[in-house]
Amino acid sequence: MRKERLKIDVILDRLMSLHPKLIDLSLCRIQKLLEKLGNPECKLPPVIHIAGTNGKGSVAAFLRSMFEADQKKVHVYTSPHLVHFHERIRVAGDLITEDVLAKLLEKCEVANGGAPITFFEITTAAAFLAFATNPAEVLVLETGLGGRLDATNVIKKPKITVITPVSMDHRQFLGDHLADIAWEKAGIIKPGVPLIMSKQAPEADEVIRARAGQLN
């Protein structure tokens, strides 16, 4: 186990150097990588996509518990982790092993070929590979930051989108006003896909409802 953890720590440290910025919101880099990997994001079970500022992790945990109580196999992707990185990825009910994750990360690294990509983007691609190659009945998918340009937002047709309460967070990336931040979070809303929204502050509520109306 110690060797396994050392191996994955080395890989994760190496991946941190692939992009000069830890956070650089964009979809183009991960889309290119996923294409090289055979588009695993198109081979997933029905997705529940969760964005928001507060309560995303709790919503993901509640959903997993409810589905598993109904004897469903559930993939879960959350961030950040508490102790070890592999806690972010739960495959059909079980945490991914560090050995399997290390192999997937190495596969993503080879496919990426040294091109600039953020740590979150390449680790999200590895999670999609794990989910695409293991059967489950649902994927509970939590955004990392924002929504519109978050690496998880490559999912074109989720089953349901969820937006938890939005408040001021990551202003340097999402905007200085609550309405701006809500607009970024509302970027996960997709045409014709049901949206479940928590109670919001009036400024956020107005923006999210408007976007939901535009996309039916």
Side-chain angles (χ1 to χ4, degrees):
M1 188 68 159
R2 182 171 176 152
K3 253 190 213 177
E4 189 178 295
R5 182 158 293 126
L6 179 60
K7 179 181 178 182
I8 196 168
D9 286 345
V10 169
I11 295 170
L12 291 170
D13 286 344
R14 190 167 65 234
L15 294 178
M16 291 288 285
S17 68
L18 287 176
H19 197 284
K21 298 178 183 176
L22 180 62
I23 298 172
D24 181 12
L25 298 179
S26 170
L27 293 181
C28 62
R29 291 181 299 270
I30 190 171
Q31 286 170 335
K32 288 177 183 176
L33 174 56
L34 290 171
E35 186 175 354
K36 292 175 182 176
L37 293 168
N39 292 110
E41 81 282 7
C42 298
K43 303 168 187 174
L44 302 174
V47 173
I48 299 177
H49 199 189
I50 307 168
T53 304
N54 306 302
K56 289 184 298 178
S58 297
V59 169
F62 285 136
L63 286 170
R64 177 171 73 87
S65 295
M66 288 188 282
F67 281 119
E68 289 181 345
D70 196 33
Q71 308 301 311
K72 300 288 193 299
K73 287 187 176 181
V74 188
H75 295 326
V76 183
Y77 185 59
T78 58
S79 61
H81 54 279
L82 294 178
V83 181
H84 301 300
F85 183 85
H86 77 294
E87 296 168 13
R88 298 180 180 211
I89 303 170
R90 189 173 289 272
V91 181
D94 297 317
L95 289 179
I96 194 169
T97 67
E98 292 186 327
D99 184 53
V100 169
L101 179 56
K103 290 175 182 175
L104 291 173
L105 288 170
E106 287 178 328
K107 183 174 182 178
C108 291
E109 191 177 10
V110 170
N112 191 56
I117 194 163
T118 68
F119 180 80
F120 185 73
E121 289 164 353
I122 200 165
T123 52
T124 298
F128 286 161
L129 273 180
F131 299 145
T133 52
N134 290 276
E137 286 149 297
V138 63
L139 164 57
V140 178
L141 182 65
E142 181 187 331
T143 59
L145 191 158
R148 182 176 64 94
L149 296 176
D150 186 80
T152 62
N153 205 31
V154 294
I155 305 300
K156 294 180 180 176
K157 191 77 173 179
K159 190 73 174 176
I160 298 171
T161 54
V162 179
I163 300 180
T164 67
V166 174
S167 60
M168 302 298 290
D169 72 319
H170 298 289
R171 294 170 64 178
Q172 67 272 41
F173 302 108
L174 304 180
D176 289 325
H177 305 285
L178 188 59
D180 297 331
I181 295 171
W183 187 79
E184 292 291 343
K185 308 282 187 183
I188 70 165
I189 301 172
K190 299 295 187 300
V193 174
L195 165 69
I196 298 173
M197 180 178 70
S198 298
K199 185 177 181 180
Q200 304 286 348
E203 306 97 303
D205 186 271
E206 182 179 356
V207 169
I208 296 169
R209 287 182 184 276
R211 186 59 179 155
Q214 291 167 359
L215 296 178
N216 190 30

